[in-house]
Amino acid sequence: MSNNIIYKLLTNLSTGNCFRFLSTILLFVLILNVRAQNNSAVGMELDSLQNPILIDSSSILMPDSTLLLDSLLMKMDTLANDSISNDSIPSIQNSTLDAQVDYQASDSLRFDLRTRKVFLYKDDNINYGSINLQGDYMEIDFTKNEIYSRGMEDSTGTVSGEPIFKESDDEFASVEMKYNFDTKKGLISGVSTEESGGFLHGEKIKKMPDNTAFIQGGRFTTCELDHPHYAFRFRKSKVIPGDKIITGPAYFEVAGVPTPLLVPFGLFPNQSGKQSGIIIPSYGESASQGFYFRDGGYYWAVNDYLDLEFLGSIYTRGSWALNTKASYKKRYKYTGNLNLKYAINIVGSEGSPDYNKSNDFLIQWSHSQDPKARPKSKFSANVNMRSSSYNQYELSNTYEDKVSSTFQSSVNFSTRFGDSWNFNANVSHSQNTKNQIVTMTLPQISLSGSRFYPFRKKDKAGALKWYDNIYLQYTVDAKNTVSVADSLMFTPGWEDYFNNGMQHKIPISSSVKIFKYLNWTNSINITSRWYSSYIDRNWEAIHDIEMDSVYGQVNQDTINGFITATDFSLSSNVSTKLYGMYTFGKKSPVKAVRHVITPTVGFSYRPDFGESQWGYYDSYHDTITDETVEYSIFANGIYGSPQNGKSGNLNFSLVNNIEMKVRDRNDTVTGDRKIVLIDNLTFSTSYNMAVDSLNWQPLRISGRTKLFKNIDIRYNSLWDPYILDSAGTKNLNQTEWSVNHRLYRMENMSWSTGLNLTLNNSTFKDGLFKKDDKSSEKSKGKKDDEPKAGTLPWSVNISYNLSYNMRHNYLNYELIRDNDVTQTLGFTANLQLTPNWKLNFRSGYDFKNEKLTTTMVDIVRDLHCWEMRFNWTPFGTWKSWNFSINIKSSMFKDLKVEKKKSHLDY
C-alpha cells in the first residue's frame, strides 16, 4: 500500500494538479496517524521515518494540525520497512491554539512529525493573532505550543537575523527568545525595545501575560544606538506598559563608564500622550541675586485640549517670581498660548549703592482661529505687555526682545452681516520701554457697508447710464484711547486720561468715461465727528510785583457734554494715460522701452469752517502781543477738527512709469523679461483760487525704483515757489522767479535706500542678484533651494537702510543747510561649518555712535544624543555668556553641565 501511495504522490507532483496533491498529502498524514494508533489495523508496514519531511517554501498550520501546502516542492527520503511502535509518533491531540498560526521562510522549512516540530530558516515570519515574530531561525513546538528563535551565524562568525517580537504596540529586538502561545509568557535574552521615547536594554526579560515585563541586568537611555552613549544602568526593573518603568538602585554611565551619580531607585514615565508631573527646577548662583532655584513647579495635562504649567523661582537675596503658562488647541476650531508672570526683582544688598528693587510683570497671549471654524467671522489675539524693567531681569529673552524697545498688542474680532455689512472690534496696546509711555485703545469699533448704487436697477439690461455709476458708502468708527506713563496704568484716576469719540463718513462718488479715453471721477465727502467734551481757552495776564514785570498764560478747561462737528468737501478729477514706446533692433539685448504718463487735473472745494456760524472755532486775546489767537474747540479731539479757511484748489499731478523689456534665454515661455526703471515718479501741485495771496502750493516730487531686485531707492522733495522774509519763517507774496529768477526754492529733500540681501547655498548658482522672473519661478520646484547632497547648508542675511534728509533754512536771506543722515545695518549668519558644528551670528552697526550694536554668537556642537552649546554676548547692556553640555531629549533636559554669567552679574 505504501508503494501505491508513493506512486500516487509522485504522479500528482508530475501532473501539477494542486488540489489532488493536497488531497494526497492529507490522506498520507491520516494513514500515518492511524498506523501510529493501531499498528495491526492496516495491512502495511513502514520501517521508520529516518528523515523528516523537508519543504522549501511556505506553509500554513491550522489549529487542527492540518497542513495546507501551496505550490510547494516536497522531497521524500527513503522509507524503511521496519515496523514502528505505537509510541514512535505521538498521537495528535486537539490543539489549544485559539487562532491560526501563519508561518513562512525564504530558505526552507523542516517538519519533524515524530516530535511535532517545525524548523524555519532565513527571513522567517510567523503571525499568530496580534503576535508577529521575525528572525532567521525558529522552532515551533506544537506539543508545548512554544516557539523559540535566535539569529544565525555565517561563515565569518557574524550573527544576523536576530529575532524581533511584536505584540500589538509592543516591540522587542533580542538575541534569542522563547514564547508560549498558551500561557502568553516569554523569556527573552539580549532585548532592546523602545518605550515612550526611550530605549530599554535588558540581559534577560520575562514577559508576563498582561505584557508586564521583569528585567534582569538592564539599562535605560534615549540614545538609539546598540551601544548607547549614556544610560541609567540597573540590576532589576519592572516595566508596566502604558504606565511606568520602575527600577532598583541605578547609576548613570557615559560611554560605558560608570559615574558617581547614583539613585536609590528609578521611576521613568512610560505613557503615551500628555501626562501631568513635577517640573524639576534649575539651580545655580547669581552674583547679584544670590543662590537660586528657578522655573520649578508642576505640569498639569488637564485634557486633550488644554495643559497648564505652574512655575516658580526663588533667590536667596529676596527675589522671587510666579509664572503660569497655558496651551490650548481644538482641531478645526482654534489654538493659542497664554503666559502670565509676576516677579519681585532685587539686585544687590539693601543699603548698598547698587541696590534696586522692582515689581515686574509679563502678559503674553496668542490666539488664532481656524478659517474653517466660522467662515464669516474671525477672532485673533496677539498680546505682548510687560513692565518697562522686565527685560532687564529676564534671562530667556530673544534677540528681538533685547534690541527692541517697543512692544505692541492687538485683540481683534471681525464678522460680516449678510452681503453688505462688515463689523470690526479691536483692542490694542503700544508700549515704549525707553520713555515708559503706554498707549491703549479700549476699544475701537467700526462698521462699514458695501457700495450702494441708489439709481441702478438690480437686473438692469443694456448699457449703464452715467447716473447708474453713482454710489455711496457708510462707515462709522468709534474708539477710546489713553496714553499715560506705565506707572499710572490701572491706578485710581487713570480713567480721567481717556480720550474718546465717534466718526461717521459718507462718501458719494461716481466714475464716468468721456470721449473714450478720459476718466471723470466726482465725489462728495461728508464727515461727522461726535465728542463727549470740548475745550475752552482764555488768556490770563499775571503781574509779577517782585520782578516788576507782566506776563501771561493760557488756561484751558475741559467742558463735558455731547457735541458734534460736521464738515464736507467735494472734488472732481479727470485723468487719462499716455503711452510711448521705443523699440530697438533685433540684435540688441534690449527689445523696447515703454513710458507711461498719467496726467490728472482736478478741482476740490471746502468751505471755511472757521467762520463763527459753524461754532467750531473760538479765540482769545493775547495782551502781551496784542494779537487775537484762534483755536479749535476740538483741538484735543481724537478725530481732529474741521479745518478753517476756505479752499478752492485746482490740482495738477503727473505720474511717470518707465519699463524696459530685455531678452532672457532662461524664460522659455515668452523669451523676455520686464525691468522697472522708474516707478511712480510723481509731480504734484495745486492753485488755491479761494485766497487772495500765495495761491500756488509747493511742488512735491516723489518716486521710487528697485535695482537688482534687492536694492530699493526712494526719493521725496518739496519746492516752494515763493520767497521768505528776512527771518526765514514766513512766505512773502513774491515768487522766486520775480526775485531770484528761478521757478522754485528747495525746502527739503530726502533719499532713502534699503538693501535686503540673502546669500545661501544656491546664491552663486543662480547669480548674486536673482532675476525677478515669475515664469522661471513657476517652473522651479521647492527642492531647487535645498542644498545638494554632500554640501553643508548656510545662509547670510544683510539688511542696510540709508536715509538722507536735506533742509534749507534762511536767516537774513542767507542759506543755512541742515543735513541729516540716518543709517542702519544688520546682519545675520547661520553657518553649518561641518556636519556637527554650527555657528549662528547676529549683529549690526550703529553709524551715529560708530560702534557695533547688540551682538550674539551661538556655537553648537552636535554630539548625537548630546549637545554642546556656547552662547556669547561679548559687550553692551546684555553682556553675558553661557556654556552647556546637555542631553537632547526633553526627558532628561535637566541632566546637564552648565556654566554661565548673566548680564546682571557684570
Side-chain angles (χ1 to χ4, degrees):
M1 182 176 179
S2 61
N3 293 331
N4 293 333
I5 292 175
I6 295 172
Y7 174 78
K8 199 171 184 179
L9 173 64
L10 296 175
T11 303
N12 283 289
L13 284 173
S14 62
T15 59
N17 191 324
C18 182
F19 178 78
R20 293 177 63 191
F21 173 71
L22 296 176
S23 301
T24 303
I25 294 298
L26 291 174
L27 180 60
F28 182 72
V29 174
L30 289 175
I31 290 174
L32 289 178
N33 286 323
V34 172
R35 181 70 183 89
Q37 296 177 16
N38 189 1
N39 192 31
S40 61
V42 181
M44 79 165 196
E45 290 186 359
L46 298 176
D47 294 340
S48 63
L49 291 176
Q50 299 295 333
N51 294 316
I53 301 170
L54 182 64
I55 303 173
D56 296 329
S57 186
S58 60
S59 63
I60 301 175
L61 181 63
M62 301 298 290
D64 59 356
S65 300
T66 302
L67 284 172
L68 301 180
L69 305 176
D70 183 14
S71 302
L72 304 177
L73 177 62
M74 178 176 177
K75 295 183 179 178
M76 298 287 296
D77 286 329
T78 60
L79 298 174
N81 295 322
D82 294 340
S83 61
I84 303 176
S85 61
N86 289 340
D87 57 349
S88 300
I89 301 176
S91 61
I92 298 178
Q93 307 293 333
N94 290 332
S95 174
T96 59
L97 297 178
D98 55 4
Q100 177 174 296
V101 181
D102 298 339
Y103 54 93
Q104 63 182 13
S106 64
D107 185 274
S108 60
L109 290 86
R110 188 166 62 90
F111 296 84
D112 190 339
L113 297 180
R114 186 185 304 277
T115 60
R116 297 189 65 201
K117 288 185 178 181
V118 179
F119 301 88
L120 296 87
Y121 300 93
K122 203 64 178 175
D123 297 331
D124 309 335
N125 195 328
I126 292 181
N127 290 291
Y128 172 69
S130 61
I131 297 174
N132 173 262
L133 179 63
Q134 301 175 21
D136 272 4
Y137 174 78
M138 297 184 192
E139 297 179 12
I140 306 176
D141 188 339
F142 286 101
T143 302
K144 299 179 180 179
N145 287 330
E146 285 185 355
I147 185 170
Y148 170 78
S149 178
R150 59 174 171 79
M152 293 187 67
E153 187 175 299
D154 59 16
S155 59
T156 63
T158 303
V159 178
S160 62
E162 295 179 335
I164 299 176
F165 178 87
K166 298 179 182 179
E167 183 175 8
S168 301
D169 296 331
D170 297 328
E171 179 176 337
F172 299 92
S174 62
V175 175
E176 64 176 9
M177 66 175 302
K178 183 182 291 186
Y179 182 77
N180 189 289
F181 292 108
D182 289 341
T183 63
K184 292 183 171 54
K185 293 182 179 180
L187 186 62
I188 310 169
S189 299
V191 71
S192 175
T193 180
E194 184 174 0
E195 295 286 344
S196 301
F199 296 90
L200 187 63
H201 302 263
E203 295 177 3
K204 286 187 178 181
I205 290 185
K206 185 177 182 181
K207 181 182 178 299
M208 306 306 291
D210 60 353
N211 286 331
T212 299
F214 295 91
I215 302 176
Q216 179 181 353
R219 56 188 174 181
F220 183 77
T221 180
T222 58
C223 181
E224 72 274 13
L225 299 180
D226 293 335
H227 300 283
H229 293 120
Y230 79 95
F232 284 92
R233 186 175 285 274
F234 48 84
R235 291 186 60 191
K236 296 180 180 180
S237 72
K238 180 180 180 180
V239 179
I240 304 175
D243 190 2
K244 62 177 85 64
I245 301 173
I246 308 170
T247 76
Y251 62 89
F252 185 68
E253 67 174 17
V254 178
V257 179
T259 67
L261 182 59
L262 303 173
V263 291
F265 64 90
L267 183 62
F268 304 97
N270 187 25
Q271 299 171 332
S272 59
K274 300 183 296 184
Q275 300 297 327
S276 302
I278 296 174
I279 300 175
I280 305 298
S282 61
Y283 58 90
E285 181 185 8
S286 170
S288 58
Q289 295 178 300
F291 295 96
Y292 62 80
F293 286 103
R294 184 187 300 147
D295 294 332
Y298 188 76
Y299 172 80
W300 181 21
V302 181
N303 51 41
D304 293 337
Y305 311 105
L306 174 66
D307 55 12
L308 297 171
E309 283 186 32
F310 302 98
L311 303 175
S313 302
I314 187 169
Y315 296 78
T316 55
R317 293 187 181 178
S319 298
W320 58 270
L322 295 176
N323 188 199
T324 300
K325 298 180 180 180
S327 298
Y328 56 90
K329 181 176 183 179
K330 192 169 185 180
R331 184 177 295 182
Y332 308 123
K333 292 293 184 180
Y334 50 77
T335 181
N337 296 280
L338 177 66
N339 186 11
L340 305 175
K341 187 172 184 179
Y342 181 79
I344 301 295
N345 290 304
I346 301 174
V347 176
S349 301
E350 190 171 1
S352 63
D354 60 344
Y355 177 79
N356 184 54
K357 179 180 180 180
S358 64
N359 298 350
D360 296 300
F361 69 89
L362 172 71
I363 302 175
Q364 289 181 324
W365 178 34
S366 64
H367 177 94
S368 60
Q369 175 183 302
D370 193 299
K372 297 184 289 295
R374 304 180 70 180
K376 287 192 174 182
S377 61
K378 180 180 179 182
F379 177 79
S380 63
N382 187 6
V383 177
N384 188 5
M385 299 178 63
R386 61 191 67 195
S387 57
S388 58
S389 58
Y390 175 84
N391 278 0
Q392 180 180 351
Y393 299 98
E394 182 57 37
L395 302 179
S396 60
N397 276 337
T398 63
Y399 181 86
E400 288 74 15
D401 290 334
K402 291 179 179 180
V403 300
S404 177
S405 60
T406 302
F407 301 94
Q408 296 179 340
S409 307
S410 177
V411 179
N412 182 269
F413 172 75
S414 61
T415 187
R416 185 175 180 85
F417 301 103
D419 297 328
S420 302
W421 294 96
N422 295 305
F423 174 81
N424 187 80
N426 183 69
V427 176
S428 62
H429 145 269
S430 179
Q431 176 183 4
N432 191 308
T433 56
K434 288 186 176 180
N435 58 24
Q436 301 182 11
I437 297 297
V438 177
T439 300
M440 302 182 68
T441 301
L442 301 170
Q444 181 175 3
I445 301 173
S446 64
L447 178 67
S448 62
S450 303
R451 288 183 178 182
F452 170 62
Y453 294 86
F455 304 107
R456 183 183 297 182
K457 295 182 180 179
K458 185 176 182 180
D459 300 322
K460 183 176 181 178
L464 298 175
K465 303 295 184 181
W466 65 269
Y467 51 81
D468 289 329
N469 292 320
I470 298 176
Y471 66 88
L472 59 86
Q473 286 181 284
Y474 173 74
T475 302
V476 58
D477 185 82
K479 58 183 176 181
N480 181 40
T481 64
V482 62
S483 183
V484 295
D486 58 1
S487 59
L488 298 178
M489 285 181 57
F490 309 113
T491 58
W494 82 297
E495 64 276 3
D496 296 337
Y497 296 96
F498 275 99
N499 190 11
N500 47 59
M502 181 181 293
Q503 179 176 255
H504 306 261
K505 283 190 173 184
I506 304 177
I508 304 172
S509 304
S510 71
S511 181
V512 181
K513 188 176 286 293
I514 57 177
F515 304 119
K516 193 177 180 179
Y517 299 107
L518 301 177
N519 294 316
W520 185 22
T521 303
N522 301 279
S523 64
I524 300 174
N525 295 285
I526 304 172
T527 303
S528 179
R529 304 168 181 85
W530 294 4
Y531 295 120
S532 59
S533 63
Y534 62 95
I535 63 171
D536 178 64
R537 294 175 181 172
N538 59 79
W539 176 263
E540 180 183 3
I542 300 175
H543 186 199
D544 190 338
I545 300 177
E546 295 182 359
M547 300 297 296
D548 192 21
S549 61
V550 178
Y551 62 93
Q553 66 180 20
V554 178
N555 299 321
Q556 178 174 297
D557 296 326
T558 300
I559 302 175
N560 296 321
F562 178 74
I563 190 170
T564 64
T566 304
D567 64 348
F568 58 89
S569 63
L570 58 89
S571 63
S572 180
N573 298 285
V574 177
S575 65
T576 188
K577 286 185 179 294
L578 304 176
Y579 297 88
M581 181 177 292
Y582 181 81
T583 58
F584 295 83
K586 294 183 178 180
K587 296 183 179 181
S588 175
V590 179
K591 296 182 66 175
V593 175
R594 187 178 73 164
H595 185 190
V596 182
I597 303 175
T598 306
T600 302
V601 179
F603 173 76
S604 61
Y605 173 75
R606 185 195 70 240
D608 183 6
F609 292 101
E611 295 180 353
S612 58
Q613 61 182 356
W614 299 101
Y616 301 152
Y617 284 80
D618 204 345
S619 63
Y620 61 86
H621 186 72
D622 186 343
T623 58
I624 303 298
T625 60
D626 195 24
E627 293 181 353
T628 299
V629 180
E630 288 189 348
Y631 67 94
S632 172
I633 63 174
F634 306 110
N636 294 340
I638 197 170
Y639 293 106
S641 170
Q643 296 185 23
N644 63 339
K646 183 185 293 186
S647 172
N649 287 329
L650 283 173
N651 304 308
F652 308 93
S653 70
L654 193 67
V655 181
N656 299 266
N657 289 277
I658 301 177
E659 296 178 344
M660 179 173 63
K661 183 181 291 187
V662 299
R663 305 182 193 277
D664 188 359
R665 296 179 180 179
N666 296 326
D667 192 326
T668 59
V669 180
T670 62
D672 52 51
R673 176 168 50 95
K674 291 182 180 179
I675 299 176
V676 178
L677 299 179
I678 297 178
D679 188 15
N680 287 338
L681 177 59
T682 303
F683 302 84
S684 63
T685 187
S686 63
Y687 183 85
N688 191 352
M689 300 182 296
V691 295
D692 56 2
S693 61
L694 304 175
N695 304 89
W696 284 104
Q697 299 299 309
L699 173 67
R700 298 179 181 273
I701 305 176
S702 63
R704 65 182 295 268
T705 188
K706 180 171 285 190
L707 303 178
F708 311 111
K709 191 184 176 181
N710 300 97
I711 303 176
D712 191 30
I713 301 176
R714 296 178 180 271
Y715 168 79
N716 287 279
S717 62
L718 188 66
W719 305 78
D720 198 326
Y722 297 101
I723 65 172
L724 293 172
D725 60 7
S726 58
T729 57
K730 293 183 179 180
N731 287 105
L732 300 178
N733 194 28
Q734 290 181 280
T735 64
E736 285 283 343
W737 179 259
S738 63
V739 177
N740 299 318
H741 301 289
R742 58 185 180 187
L743 290 176
Y744 291 96
R745 169 182 48 82
M746 189 187 75
E747 282 195 357
N748 61 69
M749 178 175 61
S750 66
W751 291 86
S752 63
T753 182
L755 168 66
N756 196 334
L757 181 62
T758 300
L759 309 176
N760 52 39
N761 295 71
S762 59
T763 299
F764 298 100
K765 177 186 70 175
D766 299 334
L768 182 59
F769 299 101
K770 293 183 180 180
K771 299 174 182 178
D772 189 7
D773 190 351
K774 296 182 180 179
S775 60
S776 61
E777 288 177 358
K778 292 180 180 179
S779 63
K780 289 184 179 181
K782 293 182 179 179
K783 294 185 178 180
D784 289 349
D785 293 332
E786 298 177 358
K788 294 182 178 180
T791 63
L792 297 174
W794 61 274
S795 65
V796 177
N797 180 268
I798 302 173
S799 177
Y800 174 73
N801 291 280
L802 168 65
S803 177
Y804 176 72
N805 296 300
M806 182 171 59
R807 290 179 294 273
H808 283 184
N809 300 317
Y810 290 84
L811 181 60
N812 296 324
Y813 299 105
E814 290 186 6
L815 176 61
I816 302 176
R817 290 185 173 91
D818 184 9
N819 300 331
D820 183 21
V821 179
T822 303
Q823 299 181 79
T824 60
L825 173 65
F827 39 89
T828 303
N830 298 304
L831 308 177
Q832 190 77 39
L833 304 177
T834 70
N836 295 320
W837 284 96
K838 185 177 181 181
L839 171 66
N840 299 326
F841 180 81
R842 297 191 66 171
S843 185
Y845 188 76
D846 185 348
F847 289 90
K848 185 176 182 180
N849 297 317
E850 297 182 349
K851 65 178 183 179
L852 290 172
T853 59
T854 300
T855 300
M856 296 181 66
V857 180
D858 293 341
I859 302 175
V860 182
R861 175 64 162 91
D862 188 348
L863 300 171
H864 190 253
C865 53
W866 291 74
E867 182 181 67
M868 182 180 70
R869 182 181 292 270
F870 177 66
N871 309 110
W872 182 36
T873 303
F875 49 80
T877 305
W878 304 100
K879 183 179 180 180
S880 60
W881 61 269
N882 187 330
F883 175 79
S884 64
I885 301 178
N886 60 278
I887 297 174
K888 289 182 180 178
S889 173
S890 59
M891 185 181 299
F892 301 117
K893 65 179 182 179
D894 295 311
L895 195 59
K896 60 185 177 181
V897 177
E898 186 177 40
K899 293 292 183 180
K900 61 184 177 180
K901 190 173 184 179
S902 77
H903 63 280
L904 299 174
D905 299 331
Y906 280 95

